[in-house]
Amino acid sequence: MKTYLLFLSLFCMPLFLPAQEVLLFDDTPSKTVVYRYSQLNGPSAPALQQIFRLLQPRQPQQAALDVYYRYQLRILEGTNTLKNCIQWEAVEADRAPRPFGFTFEDLLAPSGATYNLELLADEEVVATKCIEQVFGQTLPGYTFDFSEIEGGVFYTLRISDLTFKYSSRHVQAVQQRMRAIDQYFIANDKLTALHHSLTAFRQLEPQPQQLDSYRQQLQNYEEQLRKICANPFWNILALDTPDAHDPDQIKAKQLTCQEEVYAWKSWLNELTVNLHILYFEQGVTAYQNGQLHHAREAFHASLRSNDCYAPSHYFLAVLDFEQGKVEDAAQRIRLVLNRYNPDPNTREDASHLASGIVRFYLDAGQDAVALRRYPEGVAAYQQALAFSESIKGFHFGQAEARSRMQEAYYLDFHDQVDQVVYTQKAGQYQRALEQLSEALEFQERFRVNSTVDTESLARGIVNDLHQEQLAEIRSYRYQGEWDQALSAVASAEKLLQAYPGMVDQPQQLAQEKQQVLLGKHQKMVASAEAMIQQQRFDQALTEAEASLQFVRTYQLGNSQERESQRLITRIQQYRYDRFVRGGERAQQEGNYTSALEQYQRAQALEQQVATLLPKIGLAQQIKTTALLEAERIYQSVLRQSADDNEQLAQAKEQVQSLANRFNIIREAQLVGIIGQLNEQQCTNARDLLLPREEDQLADELQASDYLAARATLSRIDALHKAYPDCALNDASLQMNQQIVTVCAAYQEAIQAAETAEHQQQFSRAIEYYVTAKDNYADANVQARLAPHPALNLYAYINDHDNYRMPLAGAHFYLDQREHDRSLELLNLMIDRGIEQRQTEGLQLRLGSALAVRHYVASANWKETFYSFVAKKDRKAYKPLYRSFRKQWRRMA
């Protein structure tokens, strides 16, 4: 077969496309291109449809397009084969779609094609091959393999169902371009609006109150301009075609807006720097127009911008001064002239205002002095002086202020002296002295020069006051009010001490004082005498002792001291006699305790006061009364509790205490009383207490209650120890003590074991059962008490219905190194189905113990282990197995 190359060129137009392809563009009366699609295939694939939809809103008043597609199909004929390859050449439009900002040649080039290559024999399809090809790559042709070629048959090729493929990048490219165009138009509109806004703003009169608003607007404009400059359309639409959306066309607007924003920023910076001046000018204008409130706000705003701006401080001081706020004005003017370095004009104006402030203080002080309010006047003069001195290089009013202050002090001092004279004439001498002291202190503090004779004035006042005090003392003395008289004497003495040498007749006070002290002493003595008459001896003694102390305190004569001492001695004698009579009366009434108390008080008083006349035989009378009290105690206890040894012991203790207290321990009567009490106690112990305990012991032994019998024996033993001299019979104690001890120990162990078992403390129960078994080995116990089932301990543990008892028993036997019994109890619990976790601790201990006991170096540990446990049961003895193996290996 010969080889040849066939070239086919197919031109596809919108109105003459291959079958099943139709693409129409029409204009509409609304000047908007409308696209209609019908049975689109091939080049008009869905991706192409989306591209045209994207382009649709951007073609107002545009005519329809004619789009041409051109491709080439090459076919190569070989032996029994046909090879073919389709190659895309171009897509063309009858005109460039310049409103889009790009051409179709690159945009609408497909990425590949799909078609059916059909082999026809005499115009009948005999073979079909579906071909997919990606453009732009070197691809081999598709081969038809003809196994049978008939002679005389005309073979032809045909292309059908041709479809071009468009990838998503085509759609994305169009979307990107269209977004860039939209951003282009939006940026153009924003730059225009921004330019108009900036131009209009520059024509406004600057208002410092709107500075924050200006800054906010500037930030908004800068942000808008930054977003426009950062927009990607500047790079996407950078085209050279004259009718495209070239960013260079709006570049001039961008630069203009940037220059205007920069100029606005510079203007705002300058406005910020000079903001205090703008506010100051507004404040001056408002002040000149009488708008004082707005003027103050403007000046404060100026200082918020620059707190050292002197003119604003000056005008605020003027406003304060005009509104009567002189202190505020003075403080602000002081700052202006000392700190803020004002210009010459402002300094001159501030100095004039400072002079006015000084004059204001001087006038205020003069007015206060004229009204005799000297402290207020001096304070005003001091304010004027302090304010003037606080300003550097300013001396206005200082000399005048100092002169007026001295004048005010002089006038104030003479007014105080006049007030002292007036108070003296009114008879208020104490107050006059206080006022004179204050006036003299005032004169010394402020160095007032005066010719007033204050010493003569003080002497006259002191003498008048002293005569007044003497008259008051005499008045209290005549009325018998000695305490008030003493207080008045003390006040007069303080006056003499405060003003030494000024009283003309100081001896009058000493005479009056002596009369008052004697009168006070006589009153105290008379009061004590009255209390004696009322038999209130304790109160009388207190008053008499107070009179003696009074005499010694004020150093009165010896006669007064002797009188007080005699009075005290007489009162103590009365008290002594009263205690003795009271004791005798109580003794006659049989109240020996009270009698002893009265006698003791009389005896103590006799020892304290050596001048008393004592009662003869008082000591013997006290002993007699004490013996009578001991006899009373003895008779009372015999009458009420003769068979109660505890009461007898208490009575004996009371008698012994009484004997020790009054030293009658050797008296025969007392010795007899104590002996009779001891004999009664022995009789009670021998005839009552011991037989009672022995009878109870017999009953307890008969009932086999050896625990109670042990307690009874303890009480019998205590009786023998308490009464060793009573010859008590100890036969029952000697005969039963050993038997009761061993039997009680057995019963106590059994009882403790049963209690522990009831509380499920099985380990402790086993210990008590072992102790009980040891106690039962005694023949006395076996002869008197039946054995407990637990004495056969292994059988008792083995038959117990609670698995914790065999578990505790296994641990017990393991502690006793009886490993076989411990293993038997473990097997018992496992046979009963006890969970492995309940016996794990036991198995771990037992396995280690068995390994230690049966270890032989030459033996096999497994064989040794399985001699204890069957191999089939190893799972149930897993902890035992692990413990045994671990210990065996450790020993090896």
Side-chain angles (χ1 to χ4, degrees):
M1 180 179 294
K2 62 181 179 180
T3 302
Y4 64 90
L5 181 63
L6 176 63
F7 293 95
L8 295 177
S9 299
L10 303 177
F11 299 91
C12 304
M13 300 176 61
L15 301 179
F16 190 69
L17 295 173
Q20 299 180 353
E21 287 192 294
V22 178
L23 178 60
L24 300 178
F25 301 97
D26 290 337
D27 291 338
T28 62
S30 61
K31 300 180 180 182
T32 302
V33 178
V34 179
Y35 301 90
R36 296 191 299 276
Y37 309 98
S38 174
Q39 299 179 356
L40 294 179
N41 291 314
S44 302
L48 190 62
Q49 298 179 29
Q50 188 174 0
I51 289 173
F52 280 118
R53 292 191 185 97
L54 290 172
L55 298 177
Q56 174 182 349
R58 290 296 181 181
Q59 294 191 82
Q61 300 180 352
Q62 297 294 325
L65 303 176
D66 290 335
V67 182
Y68 300 86
Y69 301 92
R70 185 168 67 250
Y71 56 92
Q72 186 182 67
L73 180 66
R74 293 184 298 170
I75 300 175
L76 177 64
E77 182 179 355
T79 303
N80 293 332
T81 60
L82 289 175
K83 294 184 178 181
N84 68 288
C85 181
I86 189 169
Q87 183 174 355
W88 179 265
E89 291 187 353
V91 54
E92 298 177 355
D94 61 342
R95 60 183 177 81
R98 291 173 184 172
F100 304 151
F102 45 82
T103 59
F104 278 175
E105 284 78 358
D106 295 332
L107 180 64
L108 300 183
S111 60
T114 302
Y115 59 91
N116 292 329
L117 180 61
E118 299 175 349
L119 178 65
L120 287 79
D122 293 335
E123 298 183 355
E124 292 185 1
V125 178
V126 295
T128 301
K129 187 70 173 182
C130 182
I131 299 172
E132 294 184 359
Q133 182 178 350
V134 178
F135 294 156
Q137 299 180 8
T138 302
L139 298 175
Y142 294 94
T143 302
F144 285 95
D145 188 3
F146 300 107
S147 59
E148 297 180 0
I149 302 298
E150 299 180 5
V153 178
F154 182 72
Y155 289 91
T156 59
L157 293 172
R158 186 175 68 185
I159 298 296
S160 65
D161 297 333
L162 176 62
T163 302
F164 292 99
K165 294 183 178 180
Y166 295 86
S167 63
S168 60
R169 67 180 179 83
H170 297 89
V171 179
Q172 293 175 357
V174 174
Q175 290 176 340
Q176 185 179 14
R177 296 287 180 90
M178 298 312 298
R179 283 195 298 267
I181 293 172
D182 292 340
Q183 293 167 358
Y184 173 86
F185 285 115
I186 293 173
N188 186 31
D189 296 340
K190 287 185 176 181
L191 286 173
T192 301
L194 186 60
H195 173 68
H196 291 321
S197 298
L198 291 171
T199 303
F201 176 75
R202 292 301 299 272
Q203 298 175 358
L204 295 176
E205 181 71 21
Q207 297 293 330
Q209 293 85 352
Q210 301 296 326
L211 184 61
D212 293 336
S213 176
Y214 294 159
R215 289 197 183 97
Q216 186 64 37
Q217 291 182 19
L218 176 61
Q219 292 177 1
N220 293 337
Y221 293 152
E222 286 180 333
E223 182 65 19
Q224 293 180 23
L225 192 58
R226 186 192 63 79
K227 290 182 179 179
I228 291 173
C229 294
N231 208 300
F233 77 85
W234 296 95
N235 299 323
I236 297 174
L237 301 180
L239 305 177
D240 297 331
T241 54
D243 295 332
H245 301 91
D246 190 354
D248 291 338
Q249 296 177 1
I250 62 173
K251 189 69 176 180
K253 291 184 179 180
Q254 175 201 350
L255 295 175
T256 301
C257 290
Q258 286 180 343
E259 293 175 356
E260 292 177 342
V261 168
Y262 179 76
W264 192 13
K265 184 182 294 186
S266 300
W267 176 80
L268 278 179
N269 292 335
E270 181 180 359
L271 182 62
T272 302
V273 173
N274 299 320
L275 186 62
H276 59 286
I277 298 176
L278 294 177
Y279 278 119
F280 171 72
E281 292 174 351
Q282 286 186 355
V284 172
T285 302
Y287 177 76
Q288 293 173 351
N289 294 332
Q291 301 174 350
L292 302 183
H293 178 71
H294 295 293
R296 183 180 291 275
E297 291 182 350
F299 291 136
H300 279 297
S302 173
L303 293 179
R304 282 194 295 270
S305 178
N306 183 359
D307 60 349
C308 297
Y309 191 56
S312 296
H313 280 291
Y314 165 71
F315 269 96
L316 284 174
V318 171
L319 288 173
D320 289 337
F321 187 73
E322 290 179 352
Q323 295 176 1
K325 301 177 183 178
V326 182
E327 292 293 335
D328 296 339
Q331 183 178 1
R332 198 174 291 275
I333 282 298
R334 186 183 299 111
L335 294 175
V336 170
L337 293 174
N338 292 340
R339 183 182 298 180
Y340 297 139
N341 192 20
D343 59 89
N345 293 332
T346 304
R347 179 174 291 277
E348 182 179 359
D349 294 339
S351 297
H352 287 308
L353 181 57
S355 299
I357 293 173
V358 172
R359 177 53 56 191
F360 172 82
Y361 285 135
L362 292 174
D363 293 343
Q366 188 174 2
D367 293 340
V369 170
L371 296 174
R372 308 184 75 171
R373 296 201 295 264
Y374 302 110
E376 295 181 15
V378 170
Y381 294 147
Q382 288 175 342
Q383 284 181 310
L385 181 61
F387 174 70
S388 180
E389 290 177 343
S390 66
I391 300 174
K392 299 177 183 179
F394 186 78
H395 305 287
F396 178 81
Q398 294 182 13
E400 183 179 355
R402 293 190 182 96
S403 175
R404 291 193 177 185
M405 276 194 290
Q406 290 300 322
E407 181 184 359
Y409 289 146
Y410 180 84
L411 295 175
D412 192 0
F413 174 70
H414 279 269
D415 274 5
Q416 293 182 33
V417 171
D418 293 341
Q419 183 64 36
V420 170
V421 174
Y422 176 78
T423 306
Q424 180 186 9
K425 292 180 179 179
Q428 301 176 7
Y429 307 115
Q430 186 64 43
R431 178 57 184 158
L433 279 178
E434 294 174 358
Q435 292 176 349
L436 181 59
S437 177
E438 294 173 358
L440 293 175
E441 182 182 356
F442 178 85
Q443 181 185 19
E444 182 179 359
R445 185 169 70 246
F446 297 110
R447 299 178 182 178
V448 178
N449 295 322
S450 177
T451 59
V452 176
D453 188 1
T454 54
E455 183 176 357
S456 299
L457 180 60
R459 181 181 295 273
I461 297 173
V462 168
N463 280 281
D464 292 342
L465 178 58
H466 184 63
Q467 293 302 322
E468 183 182 57
Q469 291 175 340
L470 291 176
E472 183 180 12
I473 293 171
R474 295 189 189 97
S475 175
Y476 286 136
R477 184 162 56 84
Y478 295 154
Q479 297 174 8
E481 298 177 358
W482 305 107
D483 293 332
Q484 292 86 339
L486 281 174
S487 298
V489 167
S491 299
E493 289 177 340
K494 290 181 180 178
L495 180 66
L496 294 178
Q497 294 173 0
Y499 300 94
M502 286 193 178
V503 176
D504 295 336
Q505 297 177 350
Q507 66 278 6
Q508 293 181 357
L509 178 61
Q511 297 172 1
E512 291 293 335
K513 180 178 180 180
Q514 186 66 20
Q515 294 295 326
V516 170
L517 293 177
L518 292 175
K520 173 66 175 176
H521 179 259
Q522 290 301 323
K523 180 180 179 180
M524 297 175 73
V525 171
S527 176
E529 291 288 353
M531 293 176 183
I532 292 174
Q533 295 298 327
Q534 299 172 4
Q535 296 188 357
R536 294 162 55 194
F537 302 119
D538 294 337
Q539 293 88 335
L541 179 63
T542 302
E543 187 69 15
E545 290 176 345
S547 69
L548 180 60
Q549 183 63 33
F550 180 81
V551 169
R552 292 173 178 174
T553 300
Y554 289 100
Q555 297 179 358
L556 296 180
N558 294 332
S559 61
Q560 285 80 16
E561 183 173 358
R562 287 193 299 271
E563 183 181 4
S564 295
Q565 288 178 346
R566 286 195 299 270
L567 180 62
I568 292 173
T569 301
R570 187 155 58 92
I571 294 172
Q572 292 286 35
Q573 186 66 51
Y574 288 148
R575 294 177 71 238
Y576 177 81
D577 296 340
R578 184 183 63 179
F579 291 146
V580 171
R581 289 195 301 275
E584 293 174 349
R585 184 169 53 255
Q587 182 177 356
Q588 292 174 2
E589 295 173 355
N591 190 356
Y592 304 116
T593 302
S594 177
L596 288 172
E597 182 180 354
Q598 295 290 330
Y599 288 148
Q600 277 189 310
R601 295 180 67 179
Q603 195 174 36
L605 195 60
E606 181 180 336
Q607 295 173 358
Q608 293 175 4
V609 183
T611 58
L612 289 179
L613 297 177
K615 176 179 175 56
I616 299 174
L618 178 61
Q620 184 61 36
Q621 192 170 358
I622 292 176
K623 289 184 178 182
T624 303
T625 307
L627 290 173
L628 291 174
E629 175 64 14
E631 183 67 27
R632 184 195 65 78
I633 294 173
Y634 168 70
Q635 295 298 334
S636 176
V637 72
L638 287 182
R639 186 170 55 255
Q640 297 177 2
S641 306
D643 56 349
D644 190 346
N645 275 13
E646 292 184 2
Q647 296 294 329
L648 291 173
Q650 291 180 4
K652 185 170 70 173
E653 183 179 355
Q654 292 177 6
V655 170
Q656 290 175 344
S657 174
L658 196 65
N660 295 329
R661 181 178 172 188
F662 296 102
N663 196 19
I664 56 174
I665 191 66
R666 299 182 183 277
E667 297 292 332
Q669 184 179 356
L670 184 68
V671 172
I673 291 173
I674 294 176
Q676 293 174 6
L677 288 173
N678 290 333
E679 181 61 29
Q680 184 64 35
Q681 284 184 312
C682 290
T683 302
N684 290 340
R686 189 169 46 253
D687 298 341
L688 296 176
L689 298 179
L690 184 60
R692 185 189 305 150
E693 296 292 347
E694 289 178 343
D695 293 343
Q696 186 173 354
L697 176 63
D699 294 341
E700 291 166 350
L701 291 176
Q702 186 176 0
S704 298
D705 188 357
Y706 292 98
L707 290 175
R710 184 173 61 182
T712 303
L713 279 177
S714 297
R715 292 195 298 274
I716 293 174
D717 185 53
L719 278 175
H720 283 83
K721 292 178 180 179
Y723 305 104
D725 300 330
C726 294
L728 298 180
N729 186 4
D730 60 348
S732 60
L733 184 64
Q734 298 296 332
M735 181 176 59
N736 297 311
Q737 190 168 13
Q738 183 178 1
I739 297 174
V740 169
T741 299
V742 294
C743 292
Y746 170 74
Q747 286 184 339
E748 185 178 24
I750 292 295
Q751 185 177 355
E754 291 176 346
T755 301
E757 186 176 350
H758 178 72
Q759 297 173 352
Q760 296 193 356
Q761 298 177 1
F762 297 105
S763 297
R764 181 170 294 181
I766 290 173
E767 294 176 1
Y768 285 131
Y769 282 136
V770 171
T771 303
K773 183 177 180 181
D774 294 340
N775 294 331
Y776 198 74
D778 192 293
N780 292 319
V781 180
Q782 295 177 6
R784 290 168 176 80
L785 294 174
H788 192 276
L791 297 183
N792 187 0
L793 185 62
Y794 181 77
Y796 183 78
I797 293 174
N798 196 34
D799 297 338
H800 206 283
D801 56 354
N802 192 325
Y803 80 93
R804 290 186 177 86
M805 176 61 88
L807 181 61
H811 280 287
F812 169 76
Y813 286 118
L814 186 57
D815 294 337
Q816 303 298 321
R817 297 188 178 183
E818 298 184 25
H819 304 96
D820 296 338
R821 287 198 170 186
S822 180
L823 182 60
E824 291 174 2
L825 292 174
L826 175 62
N827 296 335
L828 173 66
M829 288 184 285
I830 292 177
D831 293 342
R832 290 182 181 180
I834 303 303
E835 296 181 3
Q836 188 180 96
R837 63 184 179 86
Q838 303 292 346
T839 62
E840 183 176 3
L842 173 64
Q843 292 193 39
L844 292 176
R845 289 189 62 204
L846 183 59
S848 178
L850 290 174
V852 171
R853 180 177 181 182
H854 297 280
Y855 173 75
V856 179
S858 60
N860 184 282
W861 70 270
K862 284 189 177 180
E863 294 178 358
T864 306
F865 177 78
Y866 289 129
S867 66
F868 306 121
V869 177
K871 190 172 184 179
K872 62 182 179 62
D873 298 330
R874 196 187 79 174
K875 186 175 181 180
Y877 296 89
K878 190 174 182 180
L880 183 72
Y881 176 85
R882 291 199 308 266
S883 177
F884 186 90
R885 179 184 61 187
K886 181 177 180 181
Q887 185 62 35
W888 189 284
R889 289 178 177 177
R890 183 182 299 167
M891 296 179 66

